[in-house]
Structure formats: C-alpha cells, structure tokens
Amino acid sequence: MELAVRAAAPSCSSSPSLHPPRVPCRLGRSPGLPLPARRVALAAAAFALDPFQEIKTELNDASKTEVFACPVCYEPLIRTGPPGMNLPAIYRSGFKCSKCNKSFTSKDVFLDLTVTSGMKEYSELKPARTELFRSPLVSFLYERGWRQNFNRSGFPGRDEEFQMAQDYFQSVAGGILVDVSCGSGLFSRKFASSGAYSAVIALDFSENMLRQCYDYIKQEETPMNTNLALVRADISRLPFASCSIDAIHAGAAIHCWPSPSNAIAEISRVLKPGGVFVATTFLSTPTNSGPLSIDALRPLRQIVGPVNSSYNFFTEGELEDLCRSCGLINYSSKVQRSFIMFSGQKP
C-alpha cells in the first residue's frame, strides 16, 4: 500500500503538509515484532499523525474510476467528498492538485477542469468555430434540429451511429468511456444508459452544452446516481492521467477542433494499452471545402486556414495518417457519402 511505503521511506522534504512527522524509532525497531507487523505499526502511526492520509486512503480504497488529473501538470487530483462518478457525488466533491496546488470545483452542474478554471482576470477565446458552440442559442438548438440536418451528408442518425460505435467498443466493455466534445450529451446519455461501461464522462469545452446535457438528463428521468459525470475541459489538454481511459468517443467533432493533431495526441496519451478511439466527422468534399477538396490544393490550407473561420474537413487518408502519427494502430473506417466513422487503438 502507498501508505506503508511512504511511512517507511525516508523523506527528503521538511514540508509538514506533504509528509508525515517521523515515527519514533522504537516503533519500527522493536525486536519483538516481525517485519510485516512493524510495517503495519508504522503505517498506523503515520496515519494518526498525518491528517492528509485520510484523503489518500480514501482515494486508494475508492472506485477505480478516480481518473481525474490536473490539466496543468497531469498529476492525480486529491478528492475530498463522497466517492463515485455520478452527478451528486461530483457536485459535492472538491478536487485539488497536490503538486501545483490548483483547486477545481463543480459549483455549476459540471466539474471545470480547464487550465483557466478559477481565473478572475484572464480570459481566453478559441477560434470562431469553437466559440460558436459556447452560445446558449446553439446549445439549445443542437438536439432540436441542428444535429438532425447531418443526415443530409450521410450521417445515419443517433441510434445507428451509437450502435456502430458500440461495435467498435466491444473489446473495452466494462471500462471507462469519455465522450469528448459531447455537446448536449446526445451520445453520452446513451453510453451511460447502456450499462456497458463502469463510468461515462461527458466532456466538452462549452459550459452551455454541459448545462443542456444536465437538463436532458433531468427531463429523461435518468437516475442521478448513474455513472455519468459532466466535465468541462480542453480537448488539447485532457485532465486525465496517462494510460487511464479505456474508450474515447468524438461524435461530429474533429472538424471543430483548433488543432486536431494535438487533440489526437492527447487522446493517445490518456488511452490505456488496448484502448479504443472512435470518431465521426464530415469528409472533405467540393461542397464543404470548395477547391481545397482537390488533392493538389490541400497544402493551401496552411495559407488560407489562419484567416478562415470555417471548419476543417479532411480526406480519409489524412485521418488515417493523423491517427497513425499519434501512435494509434488498427485503423478502420466506415464511409457513407461524406460521413465517416473511423477508429484507432492504443498499442
């Protein structure tokens, strides 16, 4: 156990907040106690002397779904409050990084794990295609007509897309799934209700999308103790420990991301070995990309992109190259007109 190791190991720091006071030598050297018993005694004494050990022990004994990490330094967050990944437990909990001392709360209906969380003076704007979805109006309309229009481009619809994704995720059933750029939780809620995962994290940068997701959860009478958490985070700075997530889903999202390469590199970082990434998007066509859909003109995006606020659309070859360059293997895809669902796996 971490507690026993820390109590027995010598400390290089004098900070009382990070290390317990020294235990009297006679406790660890008592000739009447065998080595295992001496370690237990050391651990018990350290626990009694260090109030922070209560938190650490709770983390050790908590559900394996405790995967949140600091978006600044990626160190695991210390959690105070009830364990669990459901909405009431997250809402009543506080989170703090033991390394950089940054605190995170869920004072709203979601847990804000962005780098800018808690800042009072500094504000940061994303590209227009990202900021659009932070609008209350767009968040309200997303499931009330906006998403349904994707059918014109070949998207098969919510139920079929969900089942297609589930087929890709069969090998990681029972694990933790993160629905990145979840929007109003169109698929997050279905993943959570399916019971196929130990926990589902609905993650988006838009505060209003997460609020809409919460409203839908209440309207659908989804039990509040369902293993579903709402988290605000940046796709290029995922607040999870490396190799901690089993499955990641990104529905109709990659064309909105400021830097798809940074995002997929982050996805690759947090996936466990064998973990699966599944995403859908629009393939580049003359309709949505104009002349830039022609292979010979694709390099011009480097010139046009910085002054163009429209979405980024890719060819299938580009998507496969992107996944492979970020360390994902076993790439596969399904295409229907300009709709594509593609998948990669962490080796």
Side-chain angles (χ1 to χ4, degrees):
M1 290 181 63
E2 177 191 358
L3 184 60
V5 172
R6 288 196 56 193
S11 171
C12 296
S13 170
S14 59
S15 172
S17 62
L18 296 178
H19 298 276
R22 290 182 177 272
V23 179
C25 294
R26 63 178 182 275
L27 184 62
R29 297 179 178 176
S30 173
L33 290 175
L35 181 59
R38 291 204 303 270
R39 287 176 176 170
V40 171
L42 279 168
F47 180 85
L49 292 171
D50 184 6
F52 288 90
Q53 292 293 355
E54 181 177 356
I55 297 173
K56 295 166 188 172
T57 302
E58 180 178 324
L59 282 173
N60 289 336
D61 295 337
S63 166
K64 294 181 181 179
T65 58
E66 297 288 3
V67 295
F68 295 132
C70 175
V72 177
C73 62
Y74 293 138
E75 288 293 311
L77 296 180
I78 293 177
R79 177 174 178 174
T80 56
M85 194 64 78
N86 56 75
L87 294 174
I90 296 293
Y91 181 80
R92 293 165 54 200
S93 296
F95 298 83
K96 186 174 184 178
C97 178
S98 60
K99 183 175 182 180
C100 67
N101 214 36
K102 186 174 176 65
S103 297
F104 305 88
T105 63
S106 54
K107 61 181 179 181
D108 210 326
V109 297
F110 54 84
L111 173 61
D112 192 341
L113 292 180
T114 59
V115 173
T116 56
S117 174
M119 291 187 179
K120 298 179 179 179
E121 300 294 334
Y122 177 79
S123 61
E124 188 170 78
L125 294 178
K126 297 290 184 179
R129 59 180 176 270
T130 301
E131 289 296 318
L132 175 67
F133 292 96
R134 297 180 71 186
S135 160
L137 178 61
V138 173
S139 301
F140 178 82
L141 294 175
Y142 189 74
E143 285 191 47
R144 297 175 174 89
W146 183 298
R147 187 55 163 74
Q148 288 81 343
N149 286 329
F150 292 5
N151 295 351
R152 300 176 182 177
S153 299
F155 278 68
R158 179 189 181 190
D159 292 339
E160 187 173 344
E161 289 174 52
F162 169 73
Q163 190 55 55
M164 291 169 65
Q166 287 285 75
D167 291 342
Y168 276 118
F169 288 138
Q170 284 184 4
S171 64
V172 290
I176 300 172
L177 180 144
V178 180
D179 188 19
V180 298
S181 297
C182 68
S184 55
L186 184 70
F187 293 101
S188 307
R189 305 190 313 268
K190 289 186 73 68
F191 286 128
S193 299
S194 72
Y197 308 96
S198 59
V200 174
I201 300 172
L203 183 149
D204 204 283
F205 187 73
S206 168
E207 305 92 326
N208 286 305
M209 281 294 191
L210 293 169
R211 294 185 185 109
Q212 278 294 315
C213 182
Y214 181 77
D215 289 343
Y216 280 123
I217 290 172
K218 292 191 297 182
Q219 293 171 17
E220 295 170 358
E221 297 182 351
T222 303
M224 282 294 180
N225 60 356
T226 299
N227 284 341
L228 173 63
L230 305 184
V231 174
R232 181 173 183 247
D234 189 333
I235 186 62
S236 294
R237 198 78 183 174
L238 292 175
F240 306 112
S242 298
C243 302
S244 63
I245 303 298
D246 300 277
I248 294 182
H249 174 263
I254 187 174
H255 51 275
C256 302
W257 294 346
S259 175
S261 60
N262 284 348
I264 295 184
E266 270 292 270
I267 287 170
S268 180
R269 178 185 69 81
V270 304
L271 279 176
K272 293 179 180 179
V276 178
F277 169 51
V278 175
T280 60
T281 189
F282 300 86
L283 287 173
S284 176
T285 67
T287 301
N288 60 34
S289 301
L292 296 181
S293 64
I294 302 172
D295 289 344
L297 299 179
R298 299 292 287 172
L300 290 178
R301 287 183 304 169
Q302 296 178 355
I303 301 174
V304 178
V307 296
N308 183 13
S309 62
S310 64
Y311 306 109
N312 284 322
F313 299 106
F314 305 92
T315 66
E316 183 173 4
E318 289 176 319
L319 293 172
E320 182 174 1
D321 191 31
L322 190 55
C323 288
R324 293 188 186 280
S325 68
C326 291
L328 300 179
I329 61 174
N330 297 333
Y331 176 89
S332 64
S333 65
K334 298 176 182 178
V335 176
Q336 181 174 305
R337 299 203 300 275
S338 61
F339 161 83
I340 181 172
M341 175 177 283
F342 63 96
S343 175
Q345 187 174 33
K346 179 78 168 284

